[in-house]
């Protein structure tokens, strides 16, 4: 098995040519024979470097509108022949096939064409055939061939060749092969997922090409990584690198704030809202959201759906927090936040998010549609003798948005577009309600006149009774229990309103 391979012949055919010139010029100066096609061939000629057209090697022109250029035994024989096998060497000599030691090729921009809204014909024409075949062939024969399938590796290869006298090591070639198979598999996954939409096959395929290593996972003894492009999602204006737990909380915060159109501030801790308020100004929304539970807000993740001005920033700055997210900031507000270097300030960019979500579980993966439904007053069915007022319907809608994004079992109490308390992640709905009532009192909120939302139906009337006795005047629940009538009867007995939505919002 060869270790060091000196490059004698190279095939270069790329879509993106930026950064390629220094490598081509070095290869030419080293006397490497360059083979190329089309635009890349002209690019090499323009550099003043000698180049041989692939069609001169194969004896066939580019045909079928460029669909077939490199698919020929003289190309693939030159790449795939094994230098250590005498039979292979006899055959390439017999058929006058040059040994190709280096393949530099990238792929047509399929994903970009889909993302940019190309027509079906434009998208289909961006399915690369020759390029993907060349990548696989060269990567398969990494023992003897260098494969460069990304412009990001041009400089790395150039440095290696300069340091090693125009040769590469087996370890280097194997690393390039690893990267090349990543390129090919990612490309094929993107193509498959494009085709797998109208009548999808029941298979799971995902490939994300960008990644960053996190400081650690959920706990310091766990390794963690994020696969995706955070720079597309956010512009980081200040602060340390985001942690695994930061990202989980940020995801929850983004999902919650997207429910609201009016100026709204939300404060989250461990993915649950501990403060939410909608007001005419973002400053007042912050003040009222913080009042809900200022103890839990300490060290939390904050999110707003309006620009943060200096006056609001001065109030926020009084609290220790981990992350702040907003669509924009006044420059003076950012400068104020920068006085504490570790505090993360994110400006949210407009990015279309996936409508699917998945996670590993047991020995596989579970996937589902995101819960993108939210029921407003139009979907609320009054089931009691007393109907909710317009103000109560508005608060019930507000509460329903929050309950949807809170860990089950959960109860949410709302008054005047402000979360006054919630009971989260309890094993019993009664415990969740009692927790919410207790928390409301602890922070000076009266439950009298508040509305209550539940993420699931009431199997017994006890929650309705407890809520009514505490002063709740209207209740929202999905309904669907065989004992719904018991809860409705209890609400009628207590003189409060109840609506059902027909939609459950469990969040595990």
């Amino acid at each position: 098995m060869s270790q060091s391979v000196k490059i004698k012949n190279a095939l270069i055919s790329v879509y993106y040519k930026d950064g390629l010139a220094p490598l081509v010029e070095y290869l030419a100066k080293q006397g490497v024979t360059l083979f190329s096609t089309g635009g890349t061939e002209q690019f090499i000629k323009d550099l003043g470097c000698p180049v041989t057209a692939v069609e001169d090697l194969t004896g066939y022109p580019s045909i079928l509108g460029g669909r077939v250029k490199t698919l020929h035994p003289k190309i693939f024989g030159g790449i795939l022949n094994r230098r250590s096998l005498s039979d292979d060497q006899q055959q390439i000599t017999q058929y006058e096939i040059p040994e190709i030691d280096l393949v530099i090729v990238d792929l047509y921009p399929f994903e970009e064409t889909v993302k940019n809204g190309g027509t079906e014909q434009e998208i289909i024409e961006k399915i690369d055939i020759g390029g993907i075949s060349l990548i696989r062939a060269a990567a398969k024969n990494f023992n003897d061939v260098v494969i460069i399938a990304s412009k990001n590796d041009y400089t790395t290869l150039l440095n290696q060749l300069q340091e090693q006298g125009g040769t590469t090591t087996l370890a280097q070639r194997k690393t390039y092969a690893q990267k090349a198979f990543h390129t090919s598999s990612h490309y094929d996954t993107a193509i498959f997922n494009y085709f797998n939409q109208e009548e999808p096959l029941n298979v799971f395929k995902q490939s994300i090409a960008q990644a960053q290593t996190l400081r650690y996972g959920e706990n310091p003894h766990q390794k963690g990584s994020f696969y995706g492009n955070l720079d597309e999602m956010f512009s980081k204006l200040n602060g340390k690198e985001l942690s695994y737990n930061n990202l989980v909380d940020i995801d929850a915060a983004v999902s919650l704030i997207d429910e609201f159109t009016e100026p709204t501030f939300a404060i989250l801790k461990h993915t649950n809202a501990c403060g939410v308020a909608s007001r005419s100004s973002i400053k007042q929304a912050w003040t009222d959201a913080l009042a809900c539970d200022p103890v839990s807000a300490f060290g939390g993740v904050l999110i707003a759906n309006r620009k943060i001005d200096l006056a609001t920033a001065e109030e926020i700055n009084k609290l220790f927090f981990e992350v702040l997210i907003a669509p924009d900031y006044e420059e003076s507000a950012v400068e104020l936040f920068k006085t504490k270097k570790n505090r993360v300030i994110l400006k949210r960019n407009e990015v279309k998010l996936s409508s699917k979500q998945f996670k590993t579980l047991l020995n596989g993966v579970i996937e589902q549609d995101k819960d993108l439904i939210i029921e407003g007053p139009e979907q609320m069915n009054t089931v009691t003798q007393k109907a909710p007022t317009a103000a109560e319907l508005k608060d019930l809608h507000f509460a329903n948005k929050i309950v949807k994004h809170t860990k089950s079992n959960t109860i949410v109490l709302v008054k005047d577009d402000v979360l006054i308390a919630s009971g989260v992640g309890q094993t019993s709905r009664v415990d969740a309600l009692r927790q919410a009532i207790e928390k409301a009192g602890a922070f000076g909120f009266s439950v009298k006149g508040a509305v209550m939302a539940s993420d699931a139906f009431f199997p017994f009337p006890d929650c309705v009774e407890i809520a009514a006795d505490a002063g709740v005047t209207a209740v929202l629940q999905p309904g669907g229990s065989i004992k719904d009538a018991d809860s409705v009867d209890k609400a009628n007995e207590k003189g409060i309103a109840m609506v059902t939505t027909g939609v459950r919002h469990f969040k595990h």
Side-chain angles (χ1 to χ4, degrees):
M1 182 178 289
S2 64
Q3 293 293 321
S4 181
V5 170
K6 188 172 183 64
I7 296 171
K8 306 178 294 298
N9 301 297
L11 173 65
I12 307 175
S13 181
V14 296
Y15 191 88
Y16 297 107
K17 299 169 184 64
D18 43 316
L20 180 62
L23 180 55
V24 169
E25 291 170 338
Y26 172 83
L27 294 170
K29 287 178 182 177
Q30 295 298 306
V32 175
T33 300
L34 305 179
F35 299 98
S36 192
T37 63
T40 308
E41 179 189 347
Q42 187 59 51
F43 174 81
I44 296 172
K45 286 179 179 178
D46 291 343
L47 292 174
C49 300
V51 59
T52 300
V54 163
E55 61 188 43
D56 292 338
L57 173 62
T58 63
Y60 279 87
S62 172
I63 62 173
L64 306 181
R67 282 188 166 195
V68 179
K69 296 189 288 284
T70 57
L71 297 169
H72 192 279
K74 282 204 171 183
I75 299 296
F76 283 87
I79 296 170
L80 285 165
N81 80 88
R82 292 154 291 189
R83 280 57 163 174
S84 61
L85 293 186
S86 58
D87 286 350
D88 282 14
Q89 296 309 297
Q90 288 172 7
Q91 287 183 331
I92 68 167
T93 300
Q94 177 184 354
Y95 297 111
E96 299 180 336
I97 298 173
E99 289 183 344
I100 297 176
D101 315 296
L102 168 64
V103 174
I104 302 176
V105 62
D106 60 12
L107 301 169
Y108 294 152
F110 178 85
E111 286 182 280
E112 292 89 338
T113 305
V114 173
K115 186 176 181 180
N116 293 334
T119 66
E120 182 174 72
Q121 185 59 36
E122 289 170 336
I123 291 168
I124 296 303
E125 287 307 313
K126 290 300 185 289
I127 298 176
D128 207 312
I129 303 301
I132 204 80
S133 301
L134 290 168
I135 287 173
R136 290 178 63 85
K140 176 177 180 176
N141 204 25
F142 69 86
N143 188 60
D144 300 305
V145 179
V146 181
I147 173 61
I148 300 296
S150 169
K151 62 183 180 181
N152 297 329
D153 289 324
Y154 293 166
T155 301
T156 302
L157 176 63
L158 176 59
N159 291 337
Q160 290 170 345
L161 294 176
Q162 290 173 332
E163 292 170 4
Q164 297 162 189
T167 67
T168 58
T169 67
L170 179 61
Q172 289 166 348
R173 295 192 297 278
K174 193 168 185 178
T175 296
Y176 286 129
Q178 175 195 33
K179 293 180 178 181
F181 282 123
H182 159 64
T183 296
S184 65
S185 64
H186 178 80
Y187 194 75
D188 283 340
T189 298
I191 294 170
F192 169 77
N193 285 333
Y194 170 76
F195 279 92
N196 196 45
Q197 296 181 70
E198 293 182 8
E199 296 182 15
L201 300 176
N202 193 22
V203 296
F204 181 83
K205 289 183 187 290
Q206 290 288 334
S207 178
I208 300 175
Q210 291 179 281
Q212 68 181 72
T213 301
L214 304 174
R215 295 197 301 275
Y216 49 80
E218 206 162 7
N219 298 290
H221 62 276
Q222 296 170 269
K223 292 182 180 179
S225 298
F226 174 78
Y227 297 95
N229 186 358
L230 282 176
D231 291 337
E232 180 185 38
M233 185 82 193
F234 302 107
S235 299
K236 191 169 75 170
L237 307 180
N238 187 65
K240 59 186 178 181
E241 291 301 312
L242 292 167
S243 70
Y244 180 100
N245 291 333
N246 287 157
L247 290 172
V248 174
D249 283 332
I250 289 169
D251 176 70
V254 166
S255 297
L256 174 60
I257 204 68
D258 282 352
E259 300 286 356
F260 300 91
T261 55
E262 58 275 25
T264 302
F265 224 115
I267 306 169
L268 288 88
K269 199 72 171 287
H270 301 294
T271 74
N272 291 307
C274 57
V276 185
S278 294
R279 289 291 181 261
S280 59
S281 73
I282 202 66
K283 180 182 177 182
Q284 192 60 50
W286 160 253
T287 300
D288 292 348
L290 178 63
C292 176
D293 184 352
V295 174
S296 295
F298 184 86
V301 169
L302 321 178
I303 189 164
N305 62 359
R306 293 293 192 277
K307 184 176 183 178
I308 303 296
D309 55 31
L310 179 60
T312 305
E314 288 172 341
E315 293 302 312
I316 297 171
N317 198 49
K318 297 174 183 178
L319 177 77
F320 169 75
F321 62 89
E322 287 278 342
V323 181
L324 171 62
I325 310 158
D328 203 1
Y329 301 83
E330 285 186 357
E331 188 175 338
S332 55
V334 175
E335 292 306 311
L336 176 62
F337 290 135
K338 283 183 176 180
T339 58
K340 296 183 180 178
K341 65 178 182 178
N342 286 332
R343 196 162 45 184
V344 178
I345 307 299
L346 299 177
K347 179 181 176 182
R348 185 179 173 187
N349 303 320
E350 288 294 328
V351 175
K352 184 179 180 181
L353 301 177
S354 172
S355 61
K356 297 281 188 179
Q357 57 187 176
F358 60 87
K359 63 180 177 179
T360 59
L361 190 121
L362 300 176
N363 62 342
V365 172
I366 53 174
E367 181 186 58
Q368 67 172 354
D369 298 332
K370 283 185 177 177
D371 184 359
L372 299 177
I373 295 173
I374 189 65
E375 309 77 53
E378 300 81 8
Q379 292 79 40
M380 295 178 190
N381 178 41
T382 301
V383 292
T384 49
Q385 295 166 359
K386 182 178 181 181
T389 65
E392 288 170 338
L393 282 172
K394 189 169 182 284
D395 275 349
L396 287 170
H397 187 201
F398 187 94
N400 201 27
K401 294 175 181 179
I402 300 171
V403 86
K404 169 183 168 182
H405 295 279
T406 308
K407 290 286 187 181
S408 301
N409 286 317
T410 181
I411 292 290
V412 165
L413 301 177
V414 164
K415 186 190 293 185
D416 299 327
D417 284 345
V418 175
L419 171 67
I420 62 171
S422 60
V424 304
Q426 299 301 305
T427 52
S428 129
R429 203 158 301 279
V430 170
D431 286 345
L433 174 57
R434 285 175 172 155
Q435 181 189 63
I437 293 171
E438 183 178 347
K439 284 194 71 174
F443 293 108
F445 290 100
S446 169
V447 178
K448 187 174 181 180
V451 304
M452 176 177 81
S454 171
D455 63 328
F457 61 64
F458 302 118
F460 304 102
D462 44 9
C463 278
V464 178
E465 183 172 18
I466 295 169
D469 289 346
V472 167
T473 58
V475 176
L476 176 146
Q477 58 135 330
S481 170
I482 59 173
K483 295 186 177 181
D484 271 351
D486 292 348
S487 293
V488 173
D489 289 344
K490 182 59 68 174
N492 286 329
E493 177 188 324
K494 293 291 183 176
I496 67 174
M498 179 183 288
V499 299
T500 59
T501 63
V503 179
R504 187 185 75 186
H505 290 295
F506 270 165
K507 186 182 177 188
H508 284 82

